[in-house]
Amino acid sequence: MAIRMSGMISGLDTDAIVSELVKAYSTKVETYEKAQTKLSWKQDAWKSLNSEVYSLYKTVGNMRYSSAYSLKTASVSDSTKATVSASSEAVNGTQKLKINELAQSAYLTGDEISSSSITTSTTLAELGYSGSENIEFTVGTGDDAKTTSIAIDENTKISDVLNQLKSAGVNASFDTTYNRFYVSAKTSGADSSFSFSTDYSGEGTSALSTLGLASTDNYIEGKDAEIELNGVTYTGNSNSFTINGLTINAQAVTTDPITITTATDSQGLYDKIKSFLNDYNDLINEMTSLYNADSAKGYEPLTDDEKDAMSETEIEKWETKIKDSLLRRDSTLNGIMSVMINAMSGSVTMDTNGNAVTYDSDAGYYTYKGAALVDADGNNITNSTQLRSFINSSANTEGISTYSLGSFGIKTLGVLNAADNEQYAYHIDGDEDDSDTSGNADKLLTAINQNPEVVEAFFKNLSSNLYSAIDAKMKSTTLSSAYTIYNDKEMSQEYSDYTDTISDWEDKLQDLEDYYYDKFSAMETALAELQSNTSALSTLLGTG
């Protein structure tokens, strides 16, 4: 920007005058800058909320499947002999386990080489060895055996032997206190066994003897583990077995069979549902709070000059007031809230085994177990009134009933009883962590214990409905990206448009300022000439 020195002759505050003359244009720039700042804050607010919605979306996506509910616990009658865990595939009931053999890793404790001090830098020559030979070291048995040839001569160091043994696939160490090698397999089982052989045929002592590795007196052979589960024998190279959903870790040989008991993890399933409801509550409460936020009418983002006149605390309070109100009465927010609330308030009609009754819109009637649901007279049930009548009739021999969250003691407190902006949050009767409902009977845990199939079927259906509702709002459009519940593309374009508009108005402002400064500069020039002419005339007259 050029340095202007104006008002030198006229004495006018040209900068102040020009500032007032172009104020309409500078106000335009500020207005668009404030609007762009507010839009940026709104984008941030939506990004944060969208991340939370997407997190819930993934959670309910997983809860649509049986694997999310097949939580199992497994216990064993003697935990000193084995530990057991169960996956969702494990069968409930009791089973007999006998442990016949534990897996063993092959292990060799070498003989003492010398009573004198030895280090890993000691050579075989220093141990009295001369000549050269190859030691054949074999790991494994049968077709899977792997043999490595280790070249030895009098210059070979203890460290060289260690490195070559490790390269051959075993653990190896040398204890300089007891002057012994220790060699062990990296895995357990019969296939972990190893052996040494040599082509030595000279006089004196072979390299194996020199290294204390010739004797097998202190060698422990690798062994496989062997167990019997319900009378069937299983073997393996480790003490861990995974059989039909059970993971068994054998710890000691048993004389008599011990008992494994597998059951549905009722508390685990309860906690999973509670965790889902907590996530939903946190999100819907936040949405409700944002939607019902106090108005920030009269508050706009501050200019730099306005900030200079305020403290940091005042600025923060001012901006927080605006940011908290950005999604107030937002129609997009109301839309996602509505579909979530509706999905959670839905019901499922099914029997006690979790087989659902669904409406076939193409056929125009309800179906059950792949066929039309009919009343006592054999007529297809075509509407909800007929369905309710059927459920309460003697024709309902399958125990079909309609379930909602309320059937399991899960409900909202209502507008009158709930805290501000928490009227859509769900509470579990008997939840010890919920002061509002902890004193009520725990219907959910009772239902899980008595009929987990019904609980699973209901929440699978509920999750599927909630997932579909959110998914529909996250579809990609010309205004929004995939997995986005707000018009991010539109807002991004709007932000870019503001940038262009601000730039245009800044150019207009600059041009107008230059125009007025040119005018005042011309005036100053004219005044200077007038002053010069007046001085000359005064001089002339004075002289005369």
Side-chain angles (χ1 to χ4, degrees):
M1 179 181 290
I3 298 176
R4 299 186 175 102
M5 298 183 67
S6 54
M8 297 292 289
I9 304 300
S10 66
L12 298 174
D13 186 348
T14 306
D15 289 337
I17 296 172
V18 172
S19 178
E20 286 298 317
L21 289 172
V22 300
K23 190 171 184 178
Y25 278 41
S26 61
T27 299
K28 276 285 188 181
V29 172
E30 286 184 2
T31 299
Y32 286 121
E33 287 177 338
K34 290 181 177 182
Q36 187 182 46
T37 297
K38 187 180 287 189
L39 175 61
S40 174
W41 290 346
K42 191 171 185 177
Q43 285 176 304
D44 291 340
W46 269 121
K47 287 177 183 177
S48 176
L49 187 60
N50 193 85
S51 176
E52 295 176 54
V53 174
Y54 184 66
S55 178
L56 181 69
Y57 173 76
K58 291 193 295 183
T59 296
V60 296
N62 292 330
M63 291 182 68
R64 295 176 297 162
Y65 305 108
S66 297
S67 57
Y69 304 89
S70 300
L71 305 178
K72 304 284 187 176
T73 59
S75 60
V76 61
S77 59
D78 187 347
S79 59
T80 64
K81 298 297 190 294
T83 59
V84 183
S85 60
S87 70
S88 59
E89 289 78 24
V91 179
N92 285 359
T94 59
Q95 303 181 64
K96 295 297 182 180
L97 171 67
K98 192 169 183 292
I99 302 171
N100 298 325
E101 189 78 59
L102 293 178
Q104 172 68 54
S105 298
Y107 193 94
L108 174 63
T109 302
D111 294 332
E112 184 179 16
I113 295 177
S114 171
S115 57
S116 302
S117 177
I118 299 176
T119 70
T120 54
S121 298
T122 300
T123 64
L124 267 66
E126 293 175 85
L127 299 175
Y129 176 84
S130 62
S132 63
E133 61 183 287
N134 291 316
I135 297 175
E136 302 297 321
F137 180 67
T138 303
V139 179
T141 59
D143 295 336
D144 295 327
K146 176 186 176 183
T147 299
T148 302
S149 182
I150 301 175
I152 298 294
D153 60 31
E154 61 266 24
N155 295 317
T156 301
K157 299 176 183 178
I158 296 292
S159 59
D160 296 331
V161 177
L162 286 173
N163 291 334
Q164 293 194 66
L165 287 173
K166 291 176 182 177
S167 297
V170 293
N171 299 314
S173 61
F174 185 80
D175 191 322
T176 55
T177 301
Y178 297 101
N179 293 340
R180 296 174 186 268
F181 275 93
Y182 297 90
V183 183
S184 64
K186 290 186 175 182
T187 59
S188 57
D191 290 341
S192 71
S193 295
F194 55 82
S195 61
F196 293 95
S197 63
T198 179
D199 61 357
Y200 178 74
S201 59
E203 298 180 358
T205 305
S206 69
L208 285 177
S209 297
T210 302
L211 296 169
L213 298 174
S215 173
T216 59
D217 292 344
N218 297 319
Y219 174 68
I220 299 174
E221 189 175 12
K223 292 183 180 180
D224 286 340
E226 179 182 292
I227 67 170
E228 294 178 35
L229 183 64
N230 301 324
V232 178
T233 300
Y234 299 89
T235 60
N237 61 4
S238 79
N239 291 317
S240 180
F241 294 82
T242 299
I243 305 169
N244 195 29
L246 292 178
T247 298
I248 302 168
N249 292 303
Q251 297 182 158
V253 172
T254 61
T255 303
D256 299 313
I258 57 178
T259 301
I260 296 173
T261 303
T262 308
T264 298
D265 184 2
S266 298
Q267 187 61 49
L269 181 52
Y270 177 95
D271 291 342
K272 190 178 190 71
I273 293 172
K274 179 178 175 179
S275 176
F276 154 64
L277 291 173
N278 285 341
D279 290 344
Y280 173 84
N281 288 345
D282 288 344
L283 179 57
I284 201 67
N285 288 346
E286 180 180 358
M287 287 179 164
T288 306
S289 180
L290 291 170
Y291 187 77
N292 292 331
D294 293 335
S295 172
K297 186 177 181 180
Y299 286 77
E300 293 293 335
L302 300 167
T303 64
D304 290 339
D305 289 339
E306 290 170 335
K307 288 181 179 180
D308 289 340
M310 301 170 68
S311 67
E312 290 294 329
T313 301
E314 289 172 332
I315 294 171
E316 182 179 0
K317 287 182 178 180
W318 184 282
E319 293 185 344
T320 299
K321 177 72 173 178
I322 300 173
K323 291 177 180 179
D324 286 347
S325 70
L326 290 172
L327 301 185
R328 169 182 163 82
R329 300 295 185 263
D330 188 283
S331 59
T332 301
L333 177 58
N334 184 60
I336 184 65
M337 286 174 61
S338 296
V339 298
M340 289 172 59
I341 292 168
N342 289 336
M344 291 292 286
S345 62
S347 60
V348 181
T349 302
M350 58 187 170
D351 63 22
T352 55
N353 293 316
N355 299 305
V357 173
T358 58
Y359 184 75
D360 188 331
S361 57
D362 293 331
Y365 53 72
Y366 287 92
T367 62
Y368 171 65
K369 291 184 178 180
L373 183 66
V374 297
D375 59 20
D377 297 323
N379 299 314
N380 292 342
I381 298 176
T382 60
N383 57 61
S384 58
T385 301
Q386 292 175 347
L387 179 61
R388 286 194 296 271
S389 178
F390 167 81
I391 290 173
N392 295 320
S393 72
S394 59
N396 180 12
T397 59
E398 298 280 0
I400 294 173
S401 185
T402 298
Y403 298 84
S404 65
L405 283 171
S407 304
F408 306 100
I410 303 171
K411 55 186 181 296
T412 64
L413 298 180
V415 177
L416 297 178
N417 296 321
D420 290 345
N421 299 315
E422 293 184 9
Q423 62 267 34
Y424 302 116
Y426 284 92
H427 299 254
I428 304 174
D429 282 345
D431 179 5
E432 61 182 13
D433 298 322
D434 193 329
S435 59
D436 292 305
T437 58
S438 59
N440 300 337
D442 195 334
K443 292 182 180 180
L444 176 58
L445 191 57
T446 299
I448 292 173
N449 286 324
Q450 293 179 350
N451 200 336
E453 291 81 7
V454 167
V455 177
E456 176 185 335
F458 173 80
F459 278 96
K460 281 170 58 180
N461 192 287
L462 180 75
S463 299
S464 181
N465 290 340
L466 182 56
Y467 179 87
S468 297
I470 298 175
D471 185 70
K473 290 293 184 180
M474 284 190 159
K475 295 293 186 183
S476 176
T477 69
T478 56
L479 302 179
S480 63
S481 306
Y483 303 112
T484 308
I485 59 172
Y486 68 102
N487 294 343
D488 62 319
K489 292 180 181 178
E490 182 182 41
M491 294 176 76
S492 179
Q493 182 59 52
E494 187 178 353
Y495 187 91
S496 178
D497 291 342
Y498 273 129
T499 299
D500 294 339
T501 301
I502 291 169
S503 178
D504 290 342
W505 278 100
E506 286 178 335
D507 289 342
K508 293 177 183 179
L509 175 62
Q510 184 65 53
D511 291 343
L512 189 60
E513 285 181 340
D514 290 343
Y515 170 79
Y516 281 124
Y517 275 114
D518 286 345
K519 292 297 184 182
F520 278 104
S521 178
M523 182 189 73
E524 293 290 332
T525 300
L527 288 174
E529 291 178 354
L530 177 61
Q531 186 181 58
S532 176
N533 291 334
T534 300
S535 297
L537 180 60
S538 297
T539 300
L540 179 63
L541 293 174
T543 305

